[in-house]
């Protein structure tokens, strides 16, 4: 699973063979959540509320880049790194 960003102990990644809707994975310790790129909906899993808030803030800033990486993943191309939340 390619890592596309990392910040504050949170790892953001995408799988090449993942299912719709377009989404990414956020890992924090033993927690993992699947989050829709467009809506920010928590599709699956869970992370602590504070972590989810940080991930949602990051998603808002990088929605276009996440969509670009999703499309690259569908084509099995190298994903681009996305700046961490500062």
């Amino acid at each position: 699973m390619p890592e596309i960003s990392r910040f504050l102990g949170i790892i953001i990644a995408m799988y090449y063979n993942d299912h719709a809707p377009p989404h990414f994975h956020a890992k924090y310790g033993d927690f993992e959540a699947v989050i829709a790129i467009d809506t920010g909906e928590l599709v699956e899993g869970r992370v602590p509320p504070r972590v989810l808030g940080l991930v949602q803030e990051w998603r808002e800033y990088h929605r276009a880049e996440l969509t670009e990486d999703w499309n690259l993943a569908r084509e099995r191309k190298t994903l681009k790194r996305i700046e961490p939340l500062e």
Side-chain angles (χ1 to χ4, degrees):
M1 173 172 56
E3 179 180 311
I4 56 176
S5 193
R6 181 186 292 247
F7 53 92
L8 304 171
I10 304 164
I11 299 169
I12 306 293
M14 277 188 191
Y15 289 104
Y16 282 102
N17 59 346
D18 237 340
H19 55 83
H23 64 273
F24 60 92
H25 297 252
K27 293 185 176 190
Y28 181 76
D30 292 333
F31 297 95
E32 182 173 354
V34 175
I35 299 167
I37 293 170
D38 290 337
T39 64
E41 174 189 359
L42 183 63
V43 176
E44 187 178 301
R46 73 182 193 91
V47 291
R50 182 174 177 276
V51 170
L52 182 57
L54 293 167
V55 170
Q56 292 290 14
E57 180 181 350
W58 176 84
R59 180 191 66 82
E60 283 293 322
Y61 291 132
H62 300 289
R63 194 180 310 179
E65 294 161 281
L66 284 162
T67 300
E68 181 181 1
D69 268 353
W70 177 264
N71 293 330
L72 288 170
R74 301 289 62 76
E75 297 171 10
R76 298 220 177 271
K77 294 183 178 174
T78 303
L79 304 184
K80 297 179 180 179
R81 297 283 302 171
I82 299 175
E83 290 296 315
L85 185 67
E86 294 182 12

